[in-house]
């Protein structure tokens, strides 16, 4: 659901990317390109429960307006 907090950093990042794609009516790959993330790595984050997101992607997500504190901690910022 909308209030579900994913249990890993990678899954929280996936969650926010997918929510933004749905809200903006754009395909996920378009958002991945904006943060320099390839589809293969996104797939690994989503399906292999990997938790190793590099600071490079977190920085790009922050610059693109994603809530990186939520991604890292599972807690929403104000």
């Amino acid at each position: 659901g909308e209030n579900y907090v994913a249990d890993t950093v990678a899954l929280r990042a996936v969650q926010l990317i997918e929510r933004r794609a749905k809200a903006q009516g754009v395909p996920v790959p378009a958002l991945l390109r904006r943060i320099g993330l390839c589809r293969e790595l996104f797939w690994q984050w989503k399906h292999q429960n990997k938790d190793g997101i590099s600071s490079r992607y977190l920085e790009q997500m922050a610059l693109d307006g994603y809530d990186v504190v939520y991604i890292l901690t599972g807690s929403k910022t104000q």
Side-chain angles (χ1 to χ4, degrees):
E2 193 63 26
N3 294 320
Y4 167 73
V5 177
D7 59 355
T8 69
V9 170
L11 288 176
R12 286 190 291 270
V14 166
Q15 181 183 59
L16 291 188
I17 292 167
E18 289 181 338
R19 283 182 183 170
R20 181 177 283 189
K22 183 178 178 183
Q24 294 180 354
V26 297
V28 168
L31 297 180
L32 299 181
R33 282 191 297 274
R34 288 178 56 142
I35 59 174
L37 182 63
C38 70
R39 287 189 221 188
E40 181 180 328
L41 187 54
F42 180 78
W43 188 92
Q44 289 175 4
W45 288 0
K46 185 172 182 173
H47 297 286
Q48 295 180 359
N49 210 17
K50 300 284 183 183
D51 214 18
I53 294 182
S54 84
S55 59
R56 173 181 165 229
Y57 297 118
L58 291 171
E59 177 183 15
Q60 290 305 309
M61 290 183 81
L63 292 171
D64 203 34
Y66 288 90
D67 185 350
V68 175
V69 171
Y70 169 76
I71 292 170
L72 290 170
T73 68
S75 297
K76 299 260 183 200
T77 58
Q78 296 288 355

